[in-house]
Amino acid sequence: MKKTSDLDSPAAVELDEPVPTANPVAGIDQTRGDFKYDVAYEFDAGTGLNERTVDYISSVKKEAAWIRDFRHHALKVFRAKPMPTHWATRDLENIDFDKIRYYLAQGQKPKRTWEEVPDDIKKTFERLGIPEQERKYLAGVEAQFDSEAAYSNVKDIVAKQGVIFMNSTEALREHPDIFRKWFGKVIPTSDNKFSALNSAVFSGGSFIYVPKGVKVAQPLQAYFRINAENFGQFERTLIIADEGAEVTYMEGCTAPKFSTSTLHSAVVELVALKGAKIQYITVQNWANNVFNLVTKRGLAHEEAEIKWIDCNIGSRLTMKYPGVVLKGRKARGEVISIALANDGQHQDTGAKMIHAADETSSNVVSKSISVGQGRATYRGQIHIPRRLKGCKNNTECDALLINTNSRTDTYPAITVRGDRNYVQHEASVSKVNEEMIFYMQQRGLTEGQAMSLAVNGFINDLARQFPMEYSVELKRLIDLEMEGSVG
Amino acid sequence: MSSLVIQDLHVSIGDKEIVKGLSLTIRSGEVHAIMGPNGTGKSTLAKVAAGHPDYTVTKGDILLDGASILEKEADERARAGLFLAFQYPSEIPGVSIANFLRAAVQARLPEGEEIDATAYYKRLYAKMDMLKIDRKFTSRAVNEGFSGGEKKRCEILQMAMLEPKFALMDETDSGLDIDALRIVAEGVNALRGPNLGVLLITHYQRLLNYIVPDFVHVMYDGRIVKSGDKSLALELEAKGYDWVKKELALANA
């Protein structure tokens, strides 16, 4: 951020200051992400899903028997569960599980230094800005290319504090005890059809353990890249913050535009032990043929805090409802989400807050923007049982419609029993005001620029909660999405 | 020297004709006041000149420096040097005045050229100092929750930053408080100069106690029916609009 000493009024620190560096957040700009290289995969599970696919993945990874059993069980659950089309969109029926490739990798061990990364993969990540990012301000970075991490590095200073940051495949081998203790405990295999699918074929994703009392000053970042057509990416992330620990994790996702659909189905589990704080930030900008069906949930123990900041741009269909199970007294959960649905896109997002202890509090703020024929859906679930007291929930969801054919739906489900708890819900739908656009045009902004500014204003209070680099990138992404939305 | 020329302008909204053959020429450095009873088309004139999409020009032309602007979009007209100070400016939630003005200044730069943020803020603060505006003001969202006076201050600041060739000031609201009037007047007087032409639209003479116009026009039923110097405003104040109506009736009889 450029600032001079004589300009110290609040106006000078507005968040749209130009950032002199190009692409501050690695790879979430789809215009920058829309390219691919032909990669010779060393490991390929082929097309389609059956027991042999699961065995292949497990064998290649040299997994322990319990993991192989876990996968086989999950495959059964996946097959038994129907598509949730009784409440979700029928577009799910267009996923052809027999045409998807479930495992593609170039090697089994991620490289620790940039020089070791194979050239074709290195080219991809360099184009997306990963190495510069790492040098600049990250405590650690991991870059996943299709099924496996291609590069993984954590800064010495963070490693010395005892922080473990590696991909899940490695963590299962190197830290099986701690991994197994929490793995699948926050999100059971049978949670939903896609968590079961992930449990059967998962590969890659991040594993983080922050020891007691350690506060990781800089964010850890992971970057997920789909490179192959018809590919399914099924990363599995598990983050554990031990008592009093604090960590911020950020992920960015892109894929090139393919003519056929691609599937991304992750499972992310967070565990915040007593007094710990986890902040999980996602900015995804998938190409618009990606089915993005992700299950994310955190478990907050006593006085712990879990905050999801979720920004969904792109994809054909995103279904994602980050949740927090408030298990310990005075635990806090928060979901801040921004969704932008453009032509041909459906953002079906929301939040779940399961209160399971006294004096727990949760906050959900969701803003969606529907552009052209885009559709944004908010689904919320707030649950406070009768036996609890002193629980609080605040839910706000606001939808902005840009064009007359844009669509938004809101399905909030709030179950609060007992009379010792407090819940507040606000929702609004607004259409971009024509007088406001004229006002902005009268100041010299084109109709597109005016729309873009209106949208950025709409999400400004949420964007401020993003790290500076992300909020600047978010603004740019919105500008790109709003181009051509008028007329 | 710039000119804004309105030639035999006819304007309709839907089937209803509101402006019925209005001609007026404004040059740089001049301050013109248009006065008239409510509902005679004064605000319409300002909006049409700025390119509001609700109105249709059925006849006549508006020329900025000799070239017609009627085919231009509102934003093109703005960038060409036309500024409209709104009677009821819109709120833009979540967008600070500083960011809004910055986007407006950026929109005036050639394609590919980035605004120099440091120079921008320097200029912004210089203008704010000149207009005696507190620096905290520009970090507020545009017009959101503003009082009448603050809205006027915001319009004047934008006008100062965008340095238009011509400012059309729609101050027809009879409900303007004295404070808001003073802010507009002080702003216009501060910005008045050889490079700016002003068209001041007002219902009441009292604004002209603070801004002394070079020309005064009386608008009635979609036309300018009388023009003169500042003394015309005083005469109007003394005799009321009925005087104009009667004169017109006599002339038409």
PDB file of all heavy atoms in Angstrom, chain A residues 10-11 13-16 279 307 309 336 338 456-457 459-472 474, chain B residues 94-96 99 138-141:
ATOM      1  N   PRO A  10      -8.132   9.237   7.867  1.00  0.00           N
ATOM      2  CA  PRO A  10      -8.743   7.932   7.599  1.00  0.00           C
ATOM      3  C   PRO A  10      -8.949   7.681   6.110  1.00  0.00           C
ATOM      4  O   PRO A  10      -8.886   6.557   5.653  1.00  0.00           O
ATOM      5  CB  PRO A  10     -10.096   8.029   8.310  1.00  0.00           C
ATOM      6  CG  PRO A  10     -10.001   9.158   9.249  1.00  0.00           C
ATOM      7  CD  PRO A  10      -8.928  10.055   8.774  1.00  0.00           C
ATOM      8  N   ALA A  11      -9.222   8.727   5.367  1.00  0.00           N
ATOM      9  CA  ALA A  11      -9.496   8.548   3.943  1.00  0.00           C
ATOM     10  C   ALA A  11      -8.304   7.954   3.216  1.00  0.00           C
ATOM     11  O   ALA A  11      -8.453   7.256   2.220  1.00  0.00           O
ATOM     12  CB  ALA A  11      -9.859   9.878   3.322  1.00  0.00           C
ATOM     13  N   VAL A  13      -6.402   5.638   4.104  1.00  0.00           N
ATOM     14  CA  VAL A  13      -6.196   4.202   4.271  1.00  0.00           C
ATOM     15  C   VAL A  13      -7.403   3.412   3.767  1.00  0.00           C
ATOM     16  O   VAL A  13      -7.621   2.289   4.154  1.00  0.00           O
ATOM     17  CB  VAL A  13      -5.888   3.819   5.741  1.00  0.00           C
ATOM     18  CG1 VAL A  13      -4.559   4.384   6.150  1.00  0.00           C
ATOM     19  CG2 VAL A  13      -6.984   4.302   6.677  1.00  0.00           C
ATOM     20  N   GLU A  14      -8.154   4.019   2.903  1.00  0.00           N
ATOM     21  CA  GLU A  14      -9.253   3.292   2.278  1.00  0.00           C
ATOM     22  C   GLU A  14      -8.717   2.046   1.603  1.00  0.00           C
ATOM     23  O   GLU A  14      -7.609   2.029   1.105  1.00  0.00           O
ATOM     24  CB  GLU A  14      -9.920   4.186   1.223  1.00  0.00           C
ATOM     25  CG  GLU A  14     -10.806   5.256   1.841  1.00  0.00           C
ATOM     26  CD  GLU A  14     -11.908   4.658   2.677  1.00  0.00           C
ATOM     27  OE1 GLU A  14     -12.489   3.648   2.261  1.00  0.00           O
ATOM     28  OE2 GLU A  14     -12.163   5.194   3.764  1.00  0.00           O
ATOM     29  N   LEU A  15      -9.558   1.011   1.547  1.00  0.00           N
ATOM     30  CA  LEU A  15      -8.969  -0.251   1.108  1.00  0.00           C
ATOM     31  C   LEU A  15      -8.811  -0.378  -0.393  1.00  0.00           C
ATOM     32  O   LEU A  15      -8.305  -1.366  -0.883  1.00  0.00           O
ATOM     33  CB  LEU A  15      -9.763  -1.432   1.668  1.00  0.00           C
ATOM     34  CG  LEU A  15     -11.256  -1.520   1.422  1.00  0.00           C
ATOM     35  CD1 LEU A  15     -11.551  -2.003   0.030  1.00  0.00           C
ATOM     36  CD2 LEU A  15     -11.848  -2.463   2.438  1.00  0.00           C
ATOM     37  N   ASP A  16      -9.185   0.625  -1.162  1.00  0.00           N
ATOM     38  CA  ASP A  16      -8.948   0.447  -2.590  1.00  0.00           C
ATOM     39  C   ASP A  16      -7.647   1.083  -3.051  1.00  0.00           C
ATOM     40  O   ASP A  16      -7.433   1.294  -4.220  1.00  0.00           O
ATOM     41  CB  ASP A  16     -10.128   0.966  -3.392  1.00  0.00           C
ATOM     42  CG  ASP A  16     -10.071   2.470  -3.562  1.00  0.00           C
ATOM     43  OD1 ASP A  16      -9.398   3.115  -2.742  1.00  0.00           O
ATOM     44  OD2 ASP A  16     -10.677   2.973  -4.494  1.00  0.00           O
ATOM     45  N   GLN A 279      -8.991 -18.978  12.084  1.00  0.00           N
ATOM     46  CA  GLN A 279      -9.658 -18.204  11.044  1.00  0.00           C
ATOM     47  C   GLN A 279      -9.348 -18.854   9.707  1.00  0.00           C
ATOM     48  O   GLN A 279      -8.182 -19.099   9.384  1.00  0.00           O
ATOM     49  CB  GLN A 279      -9.148 -16.768  11.093  1.00  0.00           C
ATOM     50  CG  GLN A 279      -9.796 -15.871  10.080  1.00  0.00           C
ATOM     51  CD  GLN A 279      -9.651 -14.411  10.481  1.00  0.00           C
ATOM     52  OE1 GLN A 279     -10.210 -13.932  11.463  1.00  0.00           O
ATOM     53  NE2 GLN A 279      -8.876 -13.685   9.714  1.00  0.00           N
ATOM     54  N   LYS A 307     -13.746 -18.888  12.889  1.00  0.00           N
ATOM     55  CA  LYS A 307     -14.343 -17.928  11.962  1.00  0.00           C
ATOM     56  C   LYS A 307     -14.065 -18.362  10.525  1.00  0.00           C
ATOM     57  O   LYS A 307     -12.917 -18.570  10.142  1.00  0.00           O
ATOM     58  CB  LYS A 307     -13.730 -16.549  12.215  1.00  0.00           C
ATOM     59  CG  LYS A 307     -14.278 -15.451  11.333  1.00  0.00           C
ATOM     60  CD  LYS A 307     -13.753 -14.111  11.821  1.00  0.00           C
ATOM     61  CE  LYS A 307     -14.366 -12.963  11.047  1.00  0.00           C
ATOM     62  NZ  LYS A 307     -13.971 -11.666  11.617  1.00  0.00           N
ATOM     63  N   ILE A 309     -14.293 -17.241   6.679  1.00  0.00           N
ATOM     64  CA  ILE A 309     -14.519 -16.128   5.757  1.00  0.00           C
ATOM     65  C   ILE A 309     -14.494 -16.751   4.367  1.00  0.00           C
ATOM     66  O   ILE A 309     -13.487 -17.326   3.945  1.00  0.00           O
ATOM     67  CB  ILE A 309     -13.433 -15.043   5.892  1.00  0.00           C
ATOM     68  CG1 ILE A 309     -13.479 -14.442   7.290  1.00  0.00           C
ATOM     69  CG2 ILE A 309     -13.633 -13.965   4.834  1.00  0.00           C
ATOM     70  CD1 ILE A 309     -12.488 -13.320   7.519  1.00  0.00           C
ATOM     71  N   ILE A 336     -18.656 -15.457   7.600  1.00  0.00           N
ATOM     72  CA  ILE A 336     -18.802 -14.242   6.804  1.00  0.00           C
ATOM     73  C   ILE A 336     -18.712 -14.710   5.356  1.00  0.00           C
ATOM     74  O   ILE A 336     -17.697 -15.289   4.969  1.00  0.00           O
ATOM     75  CB  ILE A 336     -17.622 -13.279   7.065  1.00  0.00           C
ATOM     76  CG1 ILE A 336     -17.495 -12.925   8.539  1.00  0.00           C
ATOM     77  CG2 ILE A 336     -17.703 -12.047   6.188  1.00  0.00           C
ATOM     78  CD1 ILE A 336     -18.586 -12.061   9.072  1.00  0.00           C
ATOM     79  N   ILE A 338     -19.409 -14.134   1.041  1.00  0.00           N
ATOM     80  CA  ILE A 338     -19.744 -13.320  -0.120  1.00  0.00           C
ATOM     81  C   ILE A 338     -19.869 -14.274  -1.297  1.00  0.00           C
ATOM     82  O   ILE A 338     -18.991 -15.112  -1.517  1.00  0.00           O
ATOM     83  CB  ILE A 338     -18.628 -12.300  -0.427  1.00  0.00           C
ATOM     84  CG1 ILE A 338     -18.481 -11.301   0.727  1.00  0.00           C
ATOM     85  CG2 ILE A 338     -18.905 -11.563  -1.737  1.00  0.00           C
ATOM     86  CD1 ILE A 338     -17.258 -10.413   0.600  1.00  0.00           C
ATOM     87  N   ASN A 456     -19.147  -3.350  -5.098  1.00  0.00           N
ATOM     88  CA  ASN A 456     -18.067  -3.295  -4.115  1.00  0.00           C
ATOM     89  C   ASN A 456     -18.512  -2.581  -2.837  1.00  0.00           C
ATOM     90  O   ASN A 456     -18.107  -2.966  -1.745  1.00  0.00           O
ATOM     91  CB  ASN A 456     -16.827  -2.625  -4.719  1.00  0.00           C
ATOM     92  CG  ASN A 456     -15.945  -3.616  -5.454  1.00  0.00           C
ATOM     93  OD1 ASN A 456     -15.442  -4.561  -4.857  1.00  0.00           O
ATOM     94  ND2 ASN A 456     -15.803  -3.436  -6.755  1.00  0.00           N
ATOM     95  N   GLY A 457     -19.350  -1.572  -2.999  1.00  0.00           N
ATOM     96  CA  GLY A 457     -19.886  -0.890  -1.824  1.00  0.00           C
ATOM     97  C   GLY A 457     -20.778  -1.812  -1.012  1.00  0.00           C
ATOM     98  O   GLY A 457     -20.731  -1.838   0.215  1.00  0.00           O
ATOM     99  N   ILE A 459     -20.603  -4.985  -0.614  1.00  0.00           N
ATOM    100  CA  ILE A 459     -19.871  -5.978   0.188  1.00  0.00           C
ATOM    101  C   ILE A 459     -18.759  -5.351   1.026  1.00  0.00           C
ATOM    102  O   ILE A 459     -18.026  -6.065   1.714  1.00  0.00           O
ATOM    103  CB  ILE A 459     -19.256  -7.092  -0.680  1.00  0.00           C
ATOM    104  CG1 ILE A 459     -18.281  -6.488  -1.693  1.00  0.00           C
ATOM    105  CG2 ILE A 459     -20.338  -7.911  -1.356  1.00  0.00           C
ATOM    106  CD1 ILE A 459     -17.232  -7.465  -2.121  1.00  0.00           C
ATOM    107  N   ASN A 460     -18.645  -4.022   0.963  1.00  0.00           N
ATOM    108  CA  ASN A 460     -17.494  -3.369   1.589  1.00  0.00           C
ATOM    109  C   ASN A 460     -17.299  -3.708   3.064  1.00  0.00           C
ATOM    110  O   ASN A 460     -16.186  -3.980   3.508  1.00  0.00           O
ATOM    111  CB  ASN A 460     -17.619  -1.851   1.411  1.00  0.00           C
ATOM    112  CG  ASN A 460     -16.422  -1.112   1.955  1.00  0.00           C
ATOM    113  OD1 ASN A 460     -15.292  -1.559   1.774  1.00  0.00           O
ATOM    114  ND2 ASN A 460     -16.654  -0.025   2.640  1.00  0.00           N
ATOM    115  N   ASP A 461     -18.391  -3.757   3.818  1.00  0.00           N
ATOM    116  CA  ASP A 461     -18.224  -4.017   5.253  1.00  0.00           C
ATOM    117  C   ASP A 461     -17.679  -5.427   5.498  1.00  0.00           C
ATOM    118  O   ASP A 461     -16.987  -5.664   6.487  1.00  0.00           O
ATOM    119  CB  ASP A 461     -19.537  -3.786   6.016  1.00  0.00           C
ATOM    120  CG  ASP A 461     -20.700  -4.560   5.433  1.00  0.00           C
ATOM    121  OD1 ASP A 461     -20.636  -4.920   4.245  1.00  0.00           O
ATOM    122  OD2 ASP A 461     -21.670  -4.810   6.164  1.00  0.00           O
ATOM    123  N   LEU A 462     -17.956  -6.352   4.586  1.00  0.00           N
ATOM    124  CA  LEU A 462     -17.395  -7.703   4.732  1.00  0.00           C
ATOM    125  C   LEU A 462     -15.974  -7.768   4.173  1.00  0.00           C
ATOM    126  O   LEU A 462     -15.093  -8.401   4.754  1.00  0.00           O
ATOM    127  CB  LEU A 462     -18.269  -8.732   4.012  1.00  0.00           C
ATOM    128  CG  LEU A 462     -19.714  -8.864   4.505  1.00  0.00           C
ATOM    129  CD1 LEU A 462     -20.365 -10.088   3.883  1.00  0.00           C
ATOM    130  CD2 LEU A 462     -19.765  -8.980   6.017  1.00  0.00           C
ATOM    131  N   ALA A 463     -15.765  -7.110   3.037  1.00  0.00           N
ATOM    132  CA  ALA A 463     -14.444  -7.149   2.405  1.00  0.00           C
ATOM    133  C   ALA A 463     -13.367  -6.585   3.336  1.00  0.00           C
ATOM    134  O   ALA A 463     -12.217  -7.001   3.302  1.00  0.00           O
ATOM    135  CB  ALA A 463     -14.462  -6.376   1.084  1.00  0.00           C
ATOM    136  N   ARG A 464     -13.775  -5.646   4.192  1.00  0.00           N
ATOM    137  CA  ARG A 464     -12.832  -5.073   5.148  1.00  0.00           C
ATOM    138  C   ARG A 464     -12.278  -6.106   6.121  1.00  0.00           C
ATOM    139  O   ARG A 464     -11.248  -5.900   6.736  1.00  0.00           O
ATOM    140  CB  ARG A 464     -13.525  -3.991   5.975  1.00  0.00           C
ATOM    141  CG  ARG A 464     -13.569  -2.666   5.302  1.00  0.00           C
ATOM    142  CD  ARG A 464     -14.553  -1.764   6.026  1.00  0.00           C
ATOM    143  NE  ARG A 464     -14.682  -0.514   5.305  1.00  0.00           N
ATOM    144  CZ  ARG A 464     -13.862   0.517   5.472  1.00  0.00           C
ATOM    145  NH1 ARG A 464     -12.917   0.474   6.363  1.00  0.00           N
ATOM    146  NH2 ARG A 464     -14.019   1.607   4.760  1.00  0.00           N
ATOM    147  N   GLN A 465     -13.013  -7.183   6.281  1.00  0.00           N
ATOM    148  CA  GLN A 465     -12.556  -8.212   7.219  1.00  0.00           C
ATOM    149  C   GLN A 465     -11.539  -9.157   6.587  1.00  0.00           C
ATOM    150  O   GLN A 465     -10.940  -9.974   7.265  1.00  0.00           O
ATOM    151  CB  GLN A 465     -13.751  -9.014   7.724  1.00  0.00           C
ATOM    152  CG  GLN A 465     -14.746  -8.139   8.451  1.00  0.00           C
ATOM    153  CD  GLN A 465     -15.710  -8.936   9.277  1.00  0.00           C
ATOM    154  OE1 GLN A 465     -15.346  -9.949   9.860  1.00  0.00           O
ATOM    155  NE2 GLN A 465     -16.939  -8.496   9.338  1.00  0.00           N
ATOM    156  N   PHE A 466     -11.398  -9.061   5.278  1.00  0.00           N
ATOM    157  CA  PHE A 466     -10.390  -9.876   4.609  1.00  0.00           C
ATOM    158  C   PHE A 466      -9.022  -9.247   4.829  1.00  0.00           C
ATOM    159  O   PHE A 466      -8.932  -8.033   5.021  1.00  0.00           O
ATOM    160  CB  PHE A 466     -10.651  -9.915   3.092  1.00  0.00           C
ATOM    161  CG  PHE A 466     -11.792 -10.803   2.681  1.00  0.00           C
ATOM    162  CD1 PHE A 466     -13.056 -10.601   3.181  1.00  0.00           C
ATOM    163  CD2 PHE A 466     -11.598 -11.839   1.790  1.00  0.00           C
ATOM    164  CE1 PHE A 466     -14.112 -11.408   2.805  1.00  0.00           C
ATOM    165  CE2 PHE A 466     -12.640 -12.650   1.409  1.00  0.00           C
ATOM    166  CZ  PHE A 466     -13.908 -12.439   1.920  1.00  0.00           C
ATOM    167  N   PRO A 467      -7.963 -10.048   4.785  1.00  0.00           N
ATOM    168  CA  PRO A 467      -6.643  -9.433   4.799  1.00  0.00           C
ATOM    169  C   PRO A 467      -6.537  -8.487   3.597  1.00  0.00           C
ATOM    170  O   PRO A 467      -7.153  -8.741   2.557  1.00  0.00           O
ATOM    171  CB  PRO A 467      -5.691 -10.619   4.624  1.00  0.00           C
ATOM    172  CG  PRO A 467      -6.475 -11.816   5.004  1.00  0.00           C
ATOM    173  CD  PRO A 467      -7.901 -11.505   4.700  1.00  0.00           C
ATOM    174  N   MET A 468      -5.806  -7.416   3.775  1.00  0.00           N
ATOM    175  CA  MET A 468      -5.696  -6.385   2.742  1.00  0.00           C
ATOM    176  C   MET A 468      -5.472  -6.945   1.339  1.00  0.00           C
ATOM    177  O   MET A 468      -6.139  -6.579   0.384  1.00  0.00           O
ATOM    178  CB  MET A 468      -4.561  -5.431   3.122  1.00  0.00           C
ATOM    179  CG  MET A 468      -4.255  -4.357   2.109  1.00  0.00           C
ATOM    180  SD  MET A 468      -5.626  -3.200   1.909  1.00  0.00           S
ATOM    181  CE  MET A 468      -5.373  -2.176   3.358  1.00  0.00           C
ATOM    182  N   GLU A 469      -4.556  -7.884   1.221  1.00  0.00           N
ATOM    183  CA  GLU A 469      -4.213  -8.410  -0.099  1.00  0.00           C
ATOM    184  C   GLU A 469      -5.422  -9.086  -0.741  1.00  0.00           C
ATOM    185  O   GLU A 469      -5.639  -8.997  -1.935  1.00  0.00           O
ATOM    186  CB  GLU A 469      -3.052  -9.409  -0.003  1.00  0.00           C
ATOM    187  CG  GLU A 469      -1.722  -8.794   0.376  1.00  0.00           C
ATOM    188  CD  GLU A 469      -1.638  -8.408   1.839  1.00  0.00           C
ATOM    189  OE1 GLU A 469      -2.555  -8.760   2.613  1.00  0.00           O
ATOM    190  OE2 GLU A 469      -0.660  -7.730   2.209  1.00  0.00           O
ATOM    191  N   TYR A 470      -6.183  -9.766   0.081  1.00  0.00           N
ATOM    192  CA  TYR A 470      -7.347 -10.465  -0.454  1.00  0.00           C
ATOM    193  C   TYR A 470      -8.464  -9.500  -0.825  1.00  0.00           C
ATOM    194  O   TYR A 470      -9.152  -9.683  -1.817  1.00  0.00           O
ATOM    195  CB  TYR A 470      -7.866 -11.487   0.559  1.00  0.00           C
ATOM    196  CG  TYR A 470      -7.325 -12.884   0.346  1.00  0.00           C
ATOM    197  CD1 TYR A 470      -5.983 -13.107   0.119  1.00  0.00           C
ATOM    198  CD2 TYR A 470      -8.171 -13.984   0.366  1.00  0.00           C
ATOM    199  CE1 TYR A 470      -5.484 -14.370  -0.075  1.00  0.00           C
ATOM    200  CE2 TYR A 470      -7.688 -15.265   0.187  1.00  0.00           C
ATOM    201  CZ  TYR A 470      -6.337 -15.457  -0.038  1.00  0.00           C
ATOM    202  OH  TYR A 470      -5.849 -16.717  -0.234  1.00  0.00           O
ATOM    203  N   SER A 471      -8.657  -8.465  -0.022  1.00  0.00           N
ATOM    204  CA  SER A 471      -9.760  -7.562  -0.322  1.00  0.00           C
ATOM    205  C   SER A 471      -9.482  -6.766  -1.590  1.00  0.00           C
ATOM    206  O   SER A 471     -10.394  -6.463  -2.351  1.00  0.00           O
ATOM    207  CB  SER A 471     -10.082  -6.650   0.861  1.00  0.00           C
ATOM    208  OG  SER A 471      -8.992  -5.840   1.157  1.00  0.00           O
ATOM    209  N   VAL A 472      -8.214  -6.455  -1.823  1.00  0.00           N
ATOM    210  CA  VAL A 472      -7.856  -5.760  -3.064  1.00  0.00           C
ATOM    211  C   VAL A 472      -8.122  -6.678  -4.255  1.00  0.00           C
ATOM    212  O   VAL A 472      -8.695  -6.281  -5.268  1.00  0.00           O
ATOM    213  CB  VAL A 472      -6.375  -5.318  -3.030  1.00  0.00           C
ATOM    214  CG1 VAL A 472      -5.945  -4.820  -4.402  1.00  0.00           C
ATOM    215  CG2 VAL A 472      -6.179  -4.231  -1.988  1.00  0.00           C
ATOM    216  N   LEU A 474     -10.155  -9.168  -4.335  1.00  0.00           N
ATOM    217  CA  LEU A 474     -11.597  -9.372  -4.429  1.00  0.00           C
ATOM    218  C   LEU A 474     -12.250  -8.247  -5.236  1.00  0.00           C
ATOM    219  O   LEU A 474     -13.083  -8.481  -6.106  1.00  0.00           O
ATOM    220  CB  LEU A 474     -12.171  -9.395  -3.007  1.00  0.00           C
ATOM    221  CG  LEU A 474     -13.623  -9.750  -2.858  1.00  0.00           C
ATOM    222  CD1 LEU A 474     -13.883 -11.140  -3.404  1.00  0.00           C
ATOM    223  CD2 LEU A 474     -14.011  -9.690  -1.386  1.00  0.00           C
TER     224      LEU A 474
ATOM    225  N   GLY B  94     -21.636   1.974   1.369  1.00  0.00           N
ATOM    226  CA  GLY B  94     -20.355   1.260   1.365  1.00  0.00           C
ATOM    227  C   GLY B  94     -19.260   1.891   0.523  1.00  0.00           C
ATOM    228  O   GLY B  94     -18.139   1.408   0.503  1.00  0.00           O
ATOM    229  N   VAL B  95     -19.583   2.972  -0.189  1.00  0.00           N
ATOM    230  CA  VAL B  95     -18.554   3.625  -1.015  1.00  0.00           C
ATOM    231  C   VAL B  95     -18.238   4.987  -0.400  1.00  0.00           C
ATOM    232  O   VAL B  95     -19.106   5.857  -0.319  1.00  0.00           O
ATOM    233  CB  VAL B  95     -19.034   3.797  -2.471  1.00  0.00           C
ATOM    234  CG1 VAL B  95     -17.985   4.507  -3.308  1.00  0.00           C
ATOM    235  CG2 VAL B  95     -19.389   2.447  -3.077  1.00  0.00           C
ATOM    236  N   SER B  96     -17.011   5.163   0.040  1.00  0.00           N
ATOM    237  CA  SER B  96     -16.648   6.425   0.679  1.00  0.00           C
ATOM    238  C   SER B  96     -16.549   7.528  -0.371  1.00  0.00           C
ATOM    239  O   SER B  96     -16.320   7.258  -1.554  1.00  0.00           O
ATOM    240  CB  SER B  96     -15.316   6.279   1.413  1.00  0.00           C
ATOM    241  OG  SER B  96     -14.275   6.131   0.471  1.00  0.00           O
ATOM    242  N   ASN B  99     -13.257   7.347  -2.168  1.00  0.00           N
ATOM    243  CA  ASN B  99     -13.175   6.308  -3.194  1.00  0.00           C
ATOM    244  C   ASN B  99     -14.028   6.630  -4.412  1.00  0.00           C
ATOM    245  O   ASN B  99     -13.654   6.331  -5.542  1.00  0.00           O
ATOM    246  CB  ASN B  99     -13.627   4.960  -2.624  1.00  0.00           C
ATOM    247  CG  ASN B  99     -12.535   4.302  -1.811  1.00  0.00           C
ATOM    248  OD1 ASN B  99     -11.388   4.761  -1.834  1.00  0.00           O
ATOM    249  ND2 ASN B  99     -12.877   3.262  -1.092  1.00  0.00           N
ATOM    250  N   THR B 138     -14.571  12.768   4.060  1.00  0.00           N
ATOM    251  CA  THR B 138     -14.463  11.931   2.852  1.00  0.00           C
ATOM    252  C   THR B 138     -14.356  10.443   3.132  1.00  0.00           C
ATOM    253  O   THR B 138     -14.366   9.642   2.216  1.00  0.00           O
ATOM    254  CB  THR B 138     -13.256  12.342   1.990  1.00  0.00           C
ATOM    255  OG1 THR B 138     -12.116  12.429   2.828  1.00  0.00           O
ATOM    256  CG2 THR B 138     -13.508  13.658   1.285  1.00  0.00           C
ATOM    257  N   SER B 139     -14.229  10.060   4.398  1.00  0.00           N
ATOM    258  CA  SER B 139     -14.219   8.614   4.665  1.00  0.00           C
ATOM    259  C   SER B 139     -15.641   8.088   4.911  1.00  0.00           C
ATOM    260  O   SER B 139     -15.855   6.903   5.078  1.00  0.00           O
ATOM    261  CB  SER B 139     -13.296   8.280   5.839  1.00  0.00           C
ATOM    262  OG  SER B 139     -13.736   8.971   6.980  1.00  0.00           O
ATOM    263  N   ARG B 140     -16.614   8.995   4.877  1.00  0.00           N
ATOM    264  CA  ARG B 140     -18.007   8.556   5.026  1.00  0.00           C
ATOM    265  C   ARG B 140     -18.562   8.070   3.688  1.00  0.00           C
ATOM    266  O   ARG B 140     -18.134   8.509   2.628  1.00  0.00           O
ATOM    267  CB  ARG B 140     -18.861   9.715   5.553  1.00  0.00           C
ATOM    268  CG  ARG B 140     -18.485  10.110   6.982  1.00  0.00           C
ATOM    269  CD  ARG B 140     -19.270  11.303   7.462  1.00  0.00           C
ATOM    270  NE  ARG B 140     -20.707  11.026   7.547  1.00  0.00           N
ATOM    271  CZ  ARG B 140     -21.611  11.949   7.865  1.00  0.00           C
ATOM    272  NH1 ARG B 140     -21.232  13.182   8.116  1.00  0.00           N
ATOM    273  NH2 ARG B 140     -22.893  11.635   7.921  1.00  0.00           N
ATOM    274  N   ALA B 141     -19.529   7.148   3.767  1.00  0.00           N
ATOM    275  CA  ALA B 141     -20.158   6.651   2.539  1.00  0.00           C
ATOM    276  C   ALA B 141     -20.956   7.775   1.892  1.00  0.00           C
ATOM    277  O   ALA B 141     -21.599   8.568   2.586  1.00  0.00           O
ATOM    278  CB  ALA B 141     -21.048   5.463   2.843  1.00  0.00           C
TER     279      ALA B 141
END
